[in-house]
mmCIF file of all heavy atoms in Angstrom:
data_model
loop_
_atom_site.group_PDB
_atom_site.id
_atom_site.type_symbol
_atom_site.label_atom_id
_atom_site.label_comp_id
_atom_site.label_asym_id
_atom_site.label_seq_id
_atom_site.Cartn_x
_atom_site.Cartn_y
_atom_site.Cartn_z
ATOM 1 N N TYR A 1094 -81.806 -92.080 67.209
ATOM 2 C CA TYR A 1094 -82.053 -92.091 68.647
ATOM 3 C C TYR A 1094 -83.277 -91.258 68.996
ATOM 4 O O TYR A 1094 -84.204 -91.723 69.674
ATOM 5 C CB TYR A 1094 -80.819 -91.572 69.395
ATOM 6 C CG TYR A 1094 -81.035 -91.366 70.870
ATOM 7 C CD1 TYR A 1094 -80.981 -92.437 71.758
ATOM 8 C CD2 TYR A 1094 -81.305 -90.100 71.382
ATOM 9 C CE1 TYR A 1094 -81.185 -92.254 73.123
ATOM 10 C CE2 TYR A 1094 -81.509 -89.905 72.741
ATOM 11 C CZ TYR A 1094 -81.448 -90.987 73.607
ATOM 12 O OH TYR A 1094 -81.658 -90.801 74.950
ATOM 13 N N PHE A 1095 -83.305 -90.012 68.526
ATOM 14 C CA PHE A 1095 -84.421 -89.140 68.870
ATOM 15 C C PHE A 1095 -85.714 -89.572 68.180
ATOM 16 O O PHE A 1095 -86.805 -89.370 68.718
ATOM 17 C CB PHE A 1095 -84.080 -87.685 68.562
ATOM 18 C CG PHE A 1095 -83.195 -87.046 69.600
ATOM 19 C CD1 PHE A 1095 -81.889 -86.676 69.300
ATOM 20 C CD2 PHE A 1095 -83.663 -86.829 70.884
ATOM 21 C CE1 PHE A 1095 -81.079 -86.093 70.258
ATOM 22 C CE2 PHE A 1095 -82.857 -86.261 71.860
ATOM 23 C CZ PHE A 1095 -81.556 -85.892 71.547
ATOM 24 N N ASP A 1096 -85.617 -90.158 66.995
ATOM 25 C CA ASP A 1096 -86.812 -90.709 66.350
ATOM 26 C C ASP A 1096 -87.462 -91.770 67.243
ATOM 27 O O ASP A 1096 -88.681 -91.748 67.485
ATOM 28 C CB ASP A 1096 -86.454 -91.350 65.011
ATOM 29 C CG ASP A 1096 -86.450 -90.363 63.850
ATOM 30 O OD1 ASP A 1096 -87.149 -89.333 63.935
ATOM 31 O OD2 ASP A 1096 -85.749 -90.630 62.858
ATOM 32 N N GLN A 1097 -86.649 -92.713 67.714
ATOM 33 C CA GLN A 1097 -87.191 -93.793 68.537
ATOM 34 C C GLN A 1097 -87.761 -93.272 69.855
ATOM 35 O O GLN A 1097 -88.823 -93.726 70.312
ATOM 36 C CB GLN A 1097 -86.097 -94.825 68.796
ATOM 37 C CG GLN A 1097 -85.639 -95.568 67.558
ATOM 38 C CD GLN A 1097 -84.462 -96.477 67.866
ATOM 39 O OE1 GLN A 1097 -84.627 -97.510 68.520
ATOM 40 N NE2 GLN A 1097 -83.282 -96.102 67.409
ATOM 41 N N VAL A 1098 -87.063 -92.319 70.448
ATOM 42 C CA VAL A 1098 -87.549 -91.740 71.702
ATOM 43 C C VAL A 1098 -88.858 -90.984 71.475
ATOM 44 O O VAL A 1098 -89.844 -91.170 72.192
ATOM 45 C CB VAL A 1098 -86.483 -90.823 72.321
ATOM 46 C CG1 VAL A 1098 -87.066 -90.001 73.462
ATOM 47 C CG2 VAL A 1098 -85.289 -91.640 72.816
ATOM 48 N N ALA A 1099 -88.889 -90.136 70.458
ATOM 49 C CA ALA A 1099 -90.063 -89.296 70.222
ATOM 50 C C ALA A 1099 -91.293 -90.121 69.879
ATOM 51 O O ALA A 1099 -92.420 -89.754 70.233
ATOM 52 C CB ALA A 1099 -89.769 -88.290 69.111
ATOM 53 N N GLU A 1100 -91.089 -91.224 69.191
ATOM 54 C CA GLU A 1100 -92.231 -92.066 68.823
ATOM 55 C C GLU A 1100 -92.898 -92.695 70.035
ATOM 56 O O GLU A 1100 -94.086 -93.047 69.985
ATOM 57 C CB GLU A 1100 -91.771 -93.153 67.847
ATOM 58 C CG GLU A 1100 -91.511 -92.622 66.434
ATOM 59 C CD GLU A 1100 -90.762 -93.624 65.568
ATOM 60 O OE1 GLU A 1100 -90.536 -94.766 66.038
ATOM 61 O OE2 GLU A 1100 -90.392 -93.267 64.437
ATOM 62 N N ALA A 1101 -92.182 -92.824 71.138
ATOM 63 C CA ALA A 1101 -92.710 -93.545 72.299
ATOM 64 C C ALA A 1101 -93.018 -92.667 73.507
ATOM 65 O O ALA A 1101 -93.734 -93.099 74.409
ATOM 66 C CB ALA A 1101 -91.729 -94.639 72.712
ATOM 67 N N VAL A 1102 -92.475 -91.457 73.547
ATOM 68 C CA VAL A 1102 -92.700 -90.593 74.708
ATOM 69 C C VAL A 1102 -94.006 -89.829 74.532
ATOM 70 O O VAL A 1102 -94.238 -89.193 73.505
ATOM 71 C CB VAL A 1102 -91.518 -89.612 74.900
ATOM 72 C CG1 VAL A 1102 -91.850 -88.565 75.963
ATOM 73 C CG2 VAL A 1102 -90.262 -90.387 75.299
ATOM 74 N N LYS A 1103 -94.834 -89.861 75.540
ATOM 75 C CA LYS A 1103 -96.180 -89.282 75.459
ATOM 76 C C LYS A 1103 -96.238 -87.921 76.150
ATOM 77 O O LYS A 1103 -96.942 -87.730 77.139
ATOM 78 C CB LYS A 1103 -97.199 -90.239 76.066
ATOM 79 C CG LYS A 1103 -96.835 -90.762 77.447
ATOM 80 C CD LYS A 1103 -97.803 -91.843 77.900
ATOM 81 C CE LYS A 1103 -97.441 -92.387 79.273
ATOM 82 N NZ LYS A 1103 -98.316 -93.490 79.698
ATOM 83 N N GLY A 1104 -95.508 -86.975 75.600
ATOM 84 C CA GLY A 1104 -95.502 -85.622 76.150
ATOM 85 C C GLY A 1104 -94.520 -84.757 75.416
ATOM 86 O O GLY A 1104 -93.847 -85.186 74.472
ATOM 87 N N ASP A 1105 -94.423 -83.497 75.846
ATOM 88 C CA ASP A 1105 -93.548 -82.529 75.184
ATOM 89 C C ASP A 1105 -92.081 -82.862 75.440
ATOM 90 O O ASP A 1105 -91.679 -83.155 76.569
ATOM 91 C CB ASP A 1105 -93.843 -81.113 75.679
ATOM 92 C CG ASP A 1105 -95.189 -80.596 75.181
ATOM 93 O OD1 ASP A 1105 -95.778 -81.240 74.300
ATOM 94 O OD2 ASP A 1105 -95.635 -79.545 75.687
ATOM 95 N N ILE A 1106 -91.293 -82.774 74.370
ATOM 96 C CA ILE A 1106 -89.863 -83.088 74.428
ATOM 97 C C ILE A 1106 -89.059 -81.839 74.084
ATOM 98 O O ILE A 1106 -89.383 -81.115 73.138
ATOM 99 C CB ILE A 1106 -89.515 -84.212 73.435
ATOM 100 C CG1 ILE A 1106 -90.202 -85.519 73.842
ATOM 101 C CG2 ILE A 1106 -87.996 -84.408 73.342
ATOM 102 C CD1 ILE A 1106 -90.056 -86.634 72.811
ATOM 103 N N TYR A 1107 -88.014 -81.611 74.859
ATOM 104 C CA TYR A 1107 -87.042 -80.554 74.585
ATOM 105 C C TYR A 1107 -85.691 -81.225 74.341
ATOM 106 O O TYR A 1107 -85.229 -82.024 75.163
ATOM 107 C CB TYR A 1107 -86.960 -79.571 75.762
ATOM 108 C CG TYR A 1107 -88.200 -78.726 75.901
ATOM 109 C CD1 TYR A 1107 -89.375 -79.274 76.414
ATOM 110 C CD2 TYR A 1107 -88.216 -77.396 75.482
ATOM 111 C CE1 TYR A 1107 -90.536 -78.524 76.510
ATOM 112 C CE2 TYR A 1107 -89.378 -76.634 75.576
ATOM 113 C CZ TYR A 1107 -90.521 -77.199 76.089
ATOM 114 O OH TYR A 1107 -91.681 -76.454 76.170
ATOM 115 N N LEU A 1108 -85.097 -80.926 73.218
ATOM 116 C CA LEU A 1108 -83.798 -81.480 72.872
ATOM 117 C C LEU A 1108 -82.709 -80.715 73.622
ATOM 118 O O LEU A 1108 -82.815 -79.506 73.841
ATOM 119 C CB LEU A 1108 -83.565 -81.373 71.362
ATOM 120 C CG LEU A 1108 -84.668 -81.945 70.469
ATOM 121 C CD1 LEU A 1108 -84.361 -81.651 69.001
ATOM 122 C CD2 LEU A 1108 -84.837 -83.439 70.705
ATOM 123 N N TYR A 1109 -81.641 -81.406 73.965
ATOM 124 C CA TYR A 1109 -80.558 -80.809 74.750
ATOM 125 C C TYR A 1109 -79.251 -81.103 74.024
ATOM 126 O O TYR A 1109 -78.845 -82.262 73.899
ATOM 127 C CB TYR A 1109 -80.572 -81.411 76.156
ATOM 128 C CG TYR A 1109 -79.543 -80.899 77.129
ATOM 129 C CD1 TYR A 1109 -78.755 -79.780 76.873
ATOM 130 C CD2 TYR A 1109 -79.363 -81.546 78.352
ATOM 131 C CE1 TYR A 1109 -77.831 -79.327 77.792
ATOM 132 C CE2 TYR A 1109 -78.441 -81.113 79.279
ATOM 133 C CZ TYR A 1109 -77.673 -80.000 78.998
ATOM 134 O OH TYR A 1109 -76.742 -79.565 79.912
ATOM 135 N N ASN A 1110 -78.604 -80.053 73.560
ATOM 136 C CA ASN A 1110 -77.339 -80.177 72.845
ATOM 137 C C ASN A 1110 -76.203 -79.691 73.734
ATOM 138 O O ASN A 1110 -76.200 -78.535 74.172
ATOM 139 C CB ASN A 1110 -77.380 -79.336 71.560
ATOM 140 C CG ASN A 1110 -76.161 -79.538 70.688
ATOM 141 O OD1 ASN A 1110 -75.754 -80.673 70.453
ATOM 142 N ND2 ASN A 1110 -75.585 -78.454 70.182
ATOM 143 N N PHE A 1111 -75.248 -80.567 74.014
ATOM 144 C CA PHE A 1111 -74.109 -80.211 74.864
ATOM 145 C C PHE A 1111 -72.871 -80.912 74.296
ATOM 146 O O PHE A 1111 -72.382 -81.902 74.852
ATOM 147 C CB PHE A 1111 -74.374 -80.644 76.310
ATOM 148 C CG PHE A 1111 -73.522 -79.963 77.349
ATOM 149 C CD1 PHE A 1111 -73.819 -80.137 78.696
ATOM 150 C CD2 PHE A 1111 -72.432 -79.160 77.017
ATOM 151 C CE1 PHE A 1111 -73.056 -79.535 79.684
ATOM 152 C CE2 PHE A 1111 -71.667 -78.544 77.986
ATOM 153 C CZ PHE A 1111 -71.976 -78.732 79.326
ATOM 154 N N PRO A 1112 -72.346 -80.424 73.176
ATOM 155 C CA PRO A 1112 -71.254 -81.133 72.484
ATOM 156 C C PRO A 1112 -70.017 -81.366 73.330
ATOM 157 O O PRO A 1112 -69.325 -82.366 73.135
ATOM 158 C CB PRO A 1112 -70.950 -80.204 71.296
ATOM 159 C CG PRO A 1112 -72.185 -79.399 71.097
ATOM 160 C CD PRO A 1112 -72.777 -79.226 72.454
ATOM 161 N N ALA A 1113 -69.741 -80.477 74.285
ATOM 162 C CA ALA A 1113 -68.558 -80.653 75.121
ATOM 163 C C ALA A 1113 -68.668 -81.888 76.007
ATOM 164 O O ALA A 1113 -67.657 -82.406 76.477
ATOM 165 C CB ALA A 1113 -68.339 -79.411 75.986
ATOM 166 N N ARG A 1114 -69.892 -82.375 76.212
ATOM 167 C CA ARG A 1114 -70.093 -83.550 77.064
ATOM 168 C C ARG A 1114 -70.493 -84.794 76.269
ATOM 169 O O ARG A 1114 -70.229 -85.920 76.690
ATOM 170 C CB ARG A 1114 -71.164 -83.254 78.118
ATOM 171 C CG ARG A 1114 -70.757 -82.156 79.103
ATOM 172 C CD ARG A 1114 -69.593 -82.586 79.967
ATOM 173 N NE ARG A 1114 -69.111 -81.491 80.805
ATOM 174 C CZ ARG A 1114 -68.096 -80.695 80.486
ATOM 175 N NH1 ARG A 1114 -67.445 -80.872 79.340
ATOM 176 N NH2 ARG A 1114 -67.715 -79.732 81.292
ATOM 177 N N THR A 1115 -71.140 -84.619 75.127
ATOM 178 C CA THR A 1115 -71.591 -85.782 74.359
ATOM 179 C C THR A 1115 -70.598 -86.199 73.285
ATOM 180 O O THR A 1115 -70.698 -87.295 72.741
ATOM 181 C CB THR A 1115 -72.936 -85.498 73.675
ATOM 182 O OG1 THR A 1115 -72.787 -84.396 72.767
ATOM 183 C CG2 THR A 1115 -74.011 -85.168 74.698
ATOM 184 N N ALA A 1116 -69.676 -85.314 72.936
ATOM 185 C CA ALA A 1116 -68.690 -85.555 71.876
ATOM 186 C C ALA A 1116 -69.301 -85.515 70.485
ATOM 187 O O ALA A 1116 -68.703 -85.973 69.525
ATOM 188 C CB ALA A 1116 -67.935 -86.871 72.083
ATOM 189 N N HIS A 1117 -70.515 -84.967 70.368
ATOM 190 C CA HIS A 1117 -71.117 -84.771 69.051
ATOM 191 C C HIS A 1117 -72.130 -83.628 69.142
ATOM 192 O O HIS A 1117 -72.537 -83.214 70.232
ATOM 193 C CB HIS A 1117 -71.786 -86.046 68.531
ATOM 194 C CG HIS A 1117 -72.690 -86.697 69.526
ATOM 195 N ND1 HIS A 1117 -72.315 -87.791 70.271
ATOM 196 C CD2 HIS A 1117 -73.945 -86.414 69.920
ATOM 197 C CE1 HIS A 1117 -73.292 -88.150 71.068
ATOM 198 N NE2 HIS A 1117 -74.314 -87.316 70.878
ATOM 199 N N ASP A 1118 -72.527 -83.144 67.991
ATOM 200 C CA ASP A 1118 -73.417 -81.979 67.907
ATOM 201 C C ASP A 1118 -74.761 -82.380 67.329
ATOM 202 O O ASP A 1118 -74.829 -83.122 66.341
ATOM 203 C CB ASP A 1118 -72.770 -80.907 67.019
ATOM 204 C CG ASP A 1118 -73.664 -79.694 66.838
ATOM 205 O OD1 ASP A 1118 -74.067 -79.106 67.857
ATOM 206 O OD2 ASP A 1118 -73.967 -79.340 65.681
ATOM 207 N N LEU A 1119 -75.826 -81.902 67.945
ATOM 208 C CA LEU A 1119 -77.165 -82.040 67.383
ATOM 209 C C LEU A 1119 -77.370 -80.865 66.441
ATOM 210 O O LEU A 1119 -77.688 -79.763 66.865
ATOM 211 C CB LEU A 1119 -78.213 -82.058 68.496
ATOM 212 C CG LEU A 1119 -79.677 -82.066 68.082
ATOM 213 C CD1 LEU A 1119 -79.984 -83.207 67.123
ATOM 214 C CD2 LEU A 1119 -80.572 -82.132 69.309
ATOM 215 N N SER A 1120 -77.160 -81.089 65.162
ATOM 216 C CA SER A 1120 -77.068 -80.004 64.193
ATOM 217 C C SER A 1120 -78.425 -79.378 63.905
ATOM 218 O O SER A 1120 -79.480 -80.008 64.095
ATOM 219 C CB SER A 1120 -76.469 -80.521 62.880
ATOM 220 O OG SER A 1120 -77.418 -81.341 62.212
ATOM 221 N N PRO A 1121 -78.430 -78.138 63.414
ATOM 222 C CA PRO A 1121 -79.689 -77.520 62.989
ATOM 223 C C PRO A 1121 -80.417 -78.334 61.930
ATOM 224 O O PRO A 1121 -81.653 -78.410 61.941
ATOM 225 C CB PRO A 1121 -79.236 -76.159 62.446
ATOM 226 C CG PRO A 1121 -77.981 -75.852 63.205
ATOM 227 C CD PRO A 1121 -77.302 -77.173 63.373
ATOM 228 N N GLU A 1122 -79.680 -78.959 61.029
ATOM 229 C CA GLU A 1122 -80.298 -79.729 59.951
ATOM 230 C C GLU A 1122 -81.006 -80.975 60.484
ATOM 231 O O GLU A 1122 -82.137 -81.295 60.074
ATOM 232 C CB GLU A 1122 -79.245 -80.108 58.908
ATOM 233 C CG GLU A 1122 -78.651 -78.937 58.157
ATOM 234 C CD GLU A 1122 -77.617 -78.139 58.946
ATOM 235 O OE1 GLU A 1122 -77.113 -78.662 59.982
ATOM 236 O OE2 GLU A 1122 -77.311 -76.996 58.547
ATOM 237 N N VAL A 1123 -80.359 -81.694 61.402
ATOM 238 C CA VAL A 1123 -80.996 -82.851 62.017
ATOM 239 C C VAL A 1123 -82.219 -82.417 62.822
ATOM 240 O O VAL A 1123 -83.275 -83.057 62.794
ATOM 241 C CB VAL A 1123 -80.002 -83.620 62.914
ATOM 242 C CG1 VAL A 1123 -80.722 -84.663 63.761
ATOM 243 C CG2 VAL A 1123 -78.927 -84.276 62.064
ATOM 244 N N THR A 1124 -82.086 -81.304 63.530
ATOM 245 C CA THR A 1124 -83.205 -80.785 64.313
ATOM 246 C C THR A 1124 -84.413 -80.498 63.427
ATOM 247 O O THR A 1124 -85.553 -80.862 63.759
ATOM 248 C CB THR A 1124 -82.786 -79.510 65.059
ATOM 249 O OG1 THR A 1124 -81.658 -79.799 65.893
ATOM 250 C CG2 THR A 1124 -83.922 -78.972 65.907
ATOM 251 N N LEU A 1125 -84.183 -79.872 62.295
ATOM 252 C CA LEU A 1125 -85.281 -79.557 61.378
ATOM 253 C C LEU A 1125 -85.963 -80.840 60.890
ATOM 254 O O LEU A 1125 -87.206 -80.917 60.835
ATOM 255 C CB LEU A 1125 -84.765 -78.737 60.198
ATOM 256 C CG LEU A 1125 -85.807 -78.289 59.171
ATOM 257 C CD1 LEU A 1125 -86.893 -77.433 59.818
ATOM 258 C CD2 LEU A 1125 -85.132 -77.528 58.029
#
Side-chain angles (χ1 to χ4, degrees):
Y1094 172 81
F1095 282 113
D1096 273 335
Q1097 294 174 72
V1098 169
E1100 285 167 5
V1102 171
K1103 50 187 179 183
D1105 289 349
I1106 295 172
Y1107 290 75
L1108 307 175
Y1109 181 11
N1110 186 47
F1111 199 170
R1114 296 294 174 265
T1115 61
H1117 49 259
D1118 177 56
L1119 174 54
S1120 72
E1122 294 77 16
V1123 169
T1124 303
L1125 182 59

